[in-house]
């Protein structure tokens, strides 16, 4: 009895005929799954929805910096900033009210206004009298007001609203209003703005990141790892884990929900995209069941590495990044032999200098290199359309 069947085809890169077919009927496009963290993939996502309305975005809920940190400390909530920004990137821009919703969800309160002035602005939003919310049609407007009212009622009098993302405050209210679950409010807003894709956190849990450095130092919290809000790490990262809280080392994990498992196992293509190497990419692979689901999927898996400087990957060559990516996926299986690969293709720009590319070493791992044009006008920046075309040529 045959449990599964793999069908191989000759790949053309770029496959403009295939891509044109997807663009003509995006509602029938392939299920391309991205393990994604921060904003690095948002511009690509806005182009990608032109080719398929079935992309899947599993984002990290482990961020601990900026205004998200205050919400997490106040409500013990998963980080929702990346979730909110990806929902907006994939929203159908032709839907009535969408520009106004986008403006509201992406707006941040002033860093310079007084606490009293910020509370007045929040009250205006709750009452529907703020310019950002007045023109949003119902029932979307009423739903947004209801979630903001929950947040307003639950925050402490001393809560710092400076720089707060309105979108994050809305989703936080939905979380609190739905028994501390993100999925119901994300589903609701996805329907209202007609998100052309599926966006979820990898796990619906309020965990943090912990890393041990090569010099033995332990660092807790995503904001202390990225080298963006604090100084770059003093030593390369040796290992990473999910942690309970930020005060002490307390490893924790959680099995992914069945819908995440099914999405990973059934995706037509899995992409490990650009982004902070540890806190955005590998962090998404740590939850129990992720690696197992990846290795149950017979379809192609593609790694598109970072360009430029990422403080998190100091001391890591391209080959070492590939090995750690594959190792993180396979670690979930323990001693079990994978049914299918963790990674099939390394997708590279044909002119960019990634450093030494060990073709023989990659071949021993069963990984093929694909080189094509991925950069157009801006050095150290992928061209969103070229990347979309390249990925869709693999499906």
């Amino acid at each position: 009895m045959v449990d599964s069947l793999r069908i191989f085809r000759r790949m053309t890169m770029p496959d403009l005929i295939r891509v044109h077919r997807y663009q003509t009927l995006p509602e029938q496009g392939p299920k391309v799954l991205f393990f994604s963290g921060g904003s690095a993939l948002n511009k690509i996502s806005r182009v990608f929805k032109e080719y398929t309305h079935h992309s899947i975005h599993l984002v990290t809920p482990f961020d601990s910096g900026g205004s998200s940190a205050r919400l997490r400390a106040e409500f013990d909530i998963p980080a929702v900033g990346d979730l909110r920004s990806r929902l907006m990137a994939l929203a159908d821009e032709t839907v009535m009210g969408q520009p106004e919703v986008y403006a509201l969800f992406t707006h941040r309160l002033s860093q310079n206004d007084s606490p009293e002035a910020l509370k007045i602005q929040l009250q205006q939003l709750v009452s529907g009298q703020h310019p950002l919310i007045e023109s949003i049609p119902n029932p979307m407007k009423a739903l947004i007001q209801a979630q903001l009212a929950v947040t307003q009622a639950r925050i402490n009098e001393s809560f710092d609203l400076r720089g707060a993302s309105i979108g994050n405050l809305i989703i936080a209210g939905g979380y609190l209003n739905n028994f501390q679950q993100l999925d119901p409010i994300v589903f609701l807003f996805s329907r209202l703005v007609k998100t052309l894709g599926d966006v979820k956190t990898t796990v619906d849990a309020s965990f943090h990141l912990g890393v041990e450095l090569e010099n033995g130092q332990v660092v807790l919290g995503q904001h202390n790892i990225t080298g963006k809000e604090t100084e770059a790490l003093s030593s390369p990262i040796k290992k990473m884990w999910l942690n309970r809280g930020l005060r002490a080392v307390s490893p924790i994990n959680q099995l992914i929900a069945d819908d995440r498992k099914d999405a990973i196992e059934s995706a037509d293509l899995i992409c490990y995209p650009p982004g902070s190497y540890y806190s955005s990419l590998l962090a998404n692979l740590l939850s129990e069941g992720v690696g197992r689901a990846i290795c149950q999927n017979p379809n192609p898996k593609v790694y598109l590495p970072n360009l430029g400087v990422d403080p998190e990957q100091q001391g890591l060559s391209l080959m070492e990044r590939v090995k750690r990516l594959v190792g993180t996926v396979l670690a979930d299986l323990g001693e079990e032999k994978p049914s299918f690969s963790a990674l099939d293709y390394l997708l590279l720009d044909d002119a960019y200098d990634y450093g030494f590319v060990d073709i023989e070493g990659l071949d021993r791992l069963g990984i093929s290199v694909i080189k094509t044009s991925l950069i157009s006008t801006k050095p150290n920046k992928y061209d969103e359309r070229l990347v979309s075309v390249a990925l869709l040529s693999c499906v």
Side-chain angles (χ1 to χ4, degrees):
M1 178 178 178
V2 178
D3 293 326
S4 61
L5 177 68
R6 299 190 75 177
I7 299 174
F8 296 89
R9 67 173 178 87
R10 183 180 298 277
M11 184 185 296
T12 301
M13 185 62 65
D15 192 334
L16 299 181
I17 295 176
R18 179 177 296 270
V19 171
H20 176 71
R21 187 188 314 140
Y22 295 144
Q23 192 171 28
T24 302
L25 290 170
E27 62 276 8
Q28 297 180 20
K31 294 189 292 183
V32 179
L33 185 142
F34 297 93
F35 286 107
S36 174
S39 59
L41 199 67
N42 283 344
K43 290 183 178 180
I44 293 174
S45 298
R46 294 194 74 172
V47 172
F48 210 79
K49 67 188 178 186
E50 297 176 19
Y51 299 92
T52 177
H53 296 170
H54 300 290
S55 61
I56 304 159
H57 302 252
L58 297 182
V59 301
T60 54
F62 311 127
D63 286 2
S64 54
S67 63
S68 292
R70 298 197 292 273
L71 276 176
R72 298 201 68 185
E74 186 78 3
F75 299 128
D76 190 25
I77 185 176
V80 297
D82 294 337
L83 191 67
R84 180 257 310 159
S85 65
R86 191 59 50 78
L87 283 168
M88 291 299 100
L90 288 170
D92 186 346
E93 297 175 48
T94 66
V95 172
M96 182 178 65
Q98 170 55 28
E100 291 81 6
V101 173
Y102 183 87
L104 178 66
F105 264 70
T106 56
H107 181 75
R108 289 185 180 274
L109 297 177
S110 171
Q111 288 278 6
N112 302 317
D113 287 354
S114 67
E116 292 74 20
L118 295 174
K119 289 178 183 177
I120 290 172
Q121 291 175 45
L122 180 57
Q123 176 55 39
Q124 290 174 333
L125 287 163
V126 170
S127 64
Q129 297 174 333
H130 193 285
L132 280 170
I133 201 172
E134 283 181 323
S135 58
I136 296 175
N138 280 316
M140 201 181 304
K141 178 180 178 180
L143 175 64
I144 290 170
Q145 289 175 263
Q147 313 316 316
L148 278 174
V150 173
T151 302
Q152 181 191 44
R154 297 282 291 272
I155 57 177
N156 291 320
E157 185 68 21
S158 60
F159 185 84
D160 187 358
L161 286 167
R162 290 177 300 173
S165 161
I166 300 301
N168 290 1
L169 295 176
I170 294 168
I171 295 176
Y175 174 83
L176 297 170
N177 204 26
N178 284 278
F179 307 101
Q180 286 72 51
Q181 296 181 34
L182 278 177
D183 286 353
I185 192 64
V186 171
F187 174 78
L188 193 53
F189 276 111
S190 294
R191 294 293 297 271
L192 283 173
V193 300
K194 196 178 178 183
T195 304
L196 302 176
D198 192 12
V199 187
K200 294 178 180 177
T201 53
T202 315
V203 288
D204 194 346
S206 184
F207 299 156
H208 288 274
L209 298 178
V211 297
E212 180 185 347
L213 308 185
E214 294 286 356
N215 63 9
Q217 179 184 357
V218 171
V219 180
L220 299 179
Q222 170 268 348
H223 64 293
N224 291 320
I225 296 171
T226 62
K228 297 174 182 177
E229 295 187 32
T230 60
E231 292 185 2
L233 296 174
S234 59
S235 175
I237 294 173
K238 181 180 179 180
K239 64 179 181 178
M240 179 174 62
W241 63 90
L242 299 179
N243 201 70
R244 181 189 289 107
L246 293 170
R247 296 187 177 182
V249 174
S250 181
I252 191 171
N253 211 322
Q254 179 173 303
L255 183 67
I256 58 172
D258 286 344
D259 62 335
R260 273 74 162 176
K261 172 180 176 291
D262 293 343
I264 298 169
E265 290 183 353
S266 64
D268 297 312
L269 177 79
I270 291 176
C271 178
Y272 307 106
S276 297
Y277 181 71
Y278 278 96
S279 63
S280 288
L281 177 55
L282 296 196
N284 247 324
L285 309 176
L286 292 177
S287 299
E288 186 180 348
V290 170
R292 184 180 299 275
I294 291 171
C295 292
Q296 286 293 322
N297 186 321
N299 295 319
K301 293 99 180 184
V302 179
Y303 174 35
L304 179 64
N306 288 327
L307 302 177
V309 177
D310 173 14
E312 293 184 12
Q313 59 189 41
Q314 61 167 302
L316 295 179
S317 66
L318 179 59
M319 189 66 183
E320 186 60 32
R321 277 179 274 157
V322 169
K323 288 180 178 179
R324 292 199 182 193
L325 169 59
V326 171
T328 302
V329 172
L330 296 181
D332 188 50
L333 279 69
E335 299 299 319
E336 182 181 334
K337 184 178 179 181
S339 299
F340 299 103
S341 64
L343 177 63
D344 298 294
Y345 300 109
L346 180 61
L347 180 59
L348 304 177
D349 179 76
D350 53 11
Y352 185 82
D353 183 8
Y354 293 89
F356 174 64
V357 180
D358 185 358
I359 300 296
E360 292 184 1
L362 291 168
D363 188 60
R364 287 193 293 271
L365 294 173
I367 300 168
S368 302
V369 175
I370 300 174
K371 288 191 175 184
T372 188
S373 179
L374 301 172
I375 301 172
S376 56
T377 57
K378 297 180 180 179
N380 296 333
K381 294 286 185 182
Y382 284 121
D383 180 286
E384 297 86 9
R385 196 162 299 278
L386 291 177
V387 167
S388 298
V389 167
L391 288 174
L392 289 162
S393 297
C394 298
V395 184

